[in-house]
Structure formats: C-alpha cells, structure tokens
Amino acid sequence: MTRVLGFAGASLKSRDTLQGGGGQVGAGLDLNVQKWLVEPKVGLSAIGLTSTAAHETGAALAESVNGQNINSLQSSVEVRLARTVNLTAQTPVQVHALIGWDHELDDTSALARASLAGLGSSAFTAASDPVGRDAIKLGAGFEVQLTARVAIYSAYSAVLASERTTQDFSIGARVRW
C-alpha cells in the first residue's frame, strides 16, 4: 500500500494483510395461523478479522501499526409475518413484515496500537467506534406472483442500534424452473 502525504510530497509504503472468515447458522419454523404465515427463527453468526502489523517507510510521519483483530459472535431472534392477498384472481401478492433482535456476544470495538517514526518509540492506542450490543430489526415487503414461475419482489429492512443504523432496500425478479 502506498500513502501519499500532502506535506512536502512525502510518499510512504507499507505492506499488510487482512484475513478473515465467518459463518452463520439458523433454524426456524413455518406456521400457518388462520390466513397468516408465521415464521419464527433463531440464528447465530460468527466472523473474525485479523490484520498483520504494518510498518511504513519513507518519511518522519511513517506509521507503525501493530497487528489487530476483531471478532463477532451474534445471536438473533426474529419473527416474519406474511399474508397472501389477491390483486386479481390470477395475481396473488404476499405482503410481509419482520421484527427481530440481534445481540453481540463478543467484541464491540477494536483497538489498534501504533506509533509515528518522528516521535521515536512513543506509542498510542486508537479505538474504533463501538457497534453496540443490541439492535432491533424491522422490515416490510411484498412479492407479486406474475406466473407460476415468475415473481417480482421488493423489501426494506433496517437494523437500529444506539450507535448505528443499517438499511437495506431490495427489488428484483425471481424465476423458478
């Protein structure tokens, strides 16, 4: 990686590696309650990221950053409610709503220990913004069955926590054969 500083045209070079992996497992049910489809689900996801130490060379402001890692182990509980209504006799529309809760069981922020070459061996520690332990998930959407094999859909979801908000909007077509 090369970083160009806006002071005296200094150019710094370093080499670092980011590695990570993760997975997710979940289980749920499809329950028919009168004309509603109720889908309760529980899940667990894990991810780990690690970076090697990075040492820049080339100027007095060259950084030396120790290796760092962050891990996430997150549980989730959610319920999706869906109901099919007919726009016409041949055009069913499934509307749905989602409510859920995520809980972080592991790291909520990462620490990085670093130093600048011009300061000698004086090191400092920087922390990332915390992500929070708990978040609520909300969502809604619909799917229109155009033919036996073709449907169009749209959905919106948000994950709301005290330190962050994540939003997702999707639209698409589904073809089954």
Side-chain angles (χ1 to χ4, degrees):
M1 162 176 69
T2 299
R3 177 169 71 105
V4 177
L5 296 178
F7 176 72
S11 178
L12 306 170
K13 294 184 179 187
S14 72
R15 188 175 259 288
D16 59 346
T17 303
L18 179 66
Q19 298 175 348
Q24 182 176 2
V25 63
L29 298 171
D30 286 347
L31 307 170
N32 288 301
V33 179
Q34 295 179 4
K35 293 185 178 185
W36 291 91
L37 176 61
V38 180
E39 299 174 325
K41 178 179 147 184
V42 295
L44 190 65
S45 61
I47 188 169
L49 298 172
T50 302
S51 68
T52 59
H55 303 286
E56 294 179 331
T57 58
L61 294 177
E63 293 177 327
S64 180
V65 180
N66 292 348
Q68 50 195 316
N69 65 3
I70 188 165
N71 300 304
S72 174
L73 180 62
Q74 196 171 82
S75 62
S76 66
V77 176
E78 63 186 46
V79 176
R80 182 177 179 269
L81 300 171
R83 185 169 182 157
T84 300
V85 295
N86 290 319
L87 288 181
T88 67
Q90 295 81 24
T91 312
V93 177
Q94 186 185 71
V95 293
H96 71 267
L98 171 80
I99 187 167
W101 173 64
D102 291 340
H103 180 72
E104 178 59 55
L105 301 164
D106 207 343
D107 298 340
T108 59
S109 66
L111 298 176
R113 189 146 173 83
S115 63
L116 298 173
L119 298 177
S121 62
S122 297
F124 58 91
T125 301
S128 69
D129 287 337
V131 294
R133 290 254 177 237
D134 297 295
I136 187 169
K137 293 193 288 189
L138 301 170
F142 67 88
E143 180 173 315
V144 179
Q145 196 71 41
L146 300 175
T147 69
R149 295 184 176 170
V150 177
I152 58 172
Y153 63 89
S154 180
Y156 170 80
S157 65
V159 177
L160 309 168
S162 59
E163 296 84 6
R164 66 180 160 85
T165 299
T166 305
Q167 299 181 62
D168 179 61
F169 177 74
S170 61
I171 187 168
R174 186 172 288 116
V175 179
R176 295 180 177 105
W177 59 87

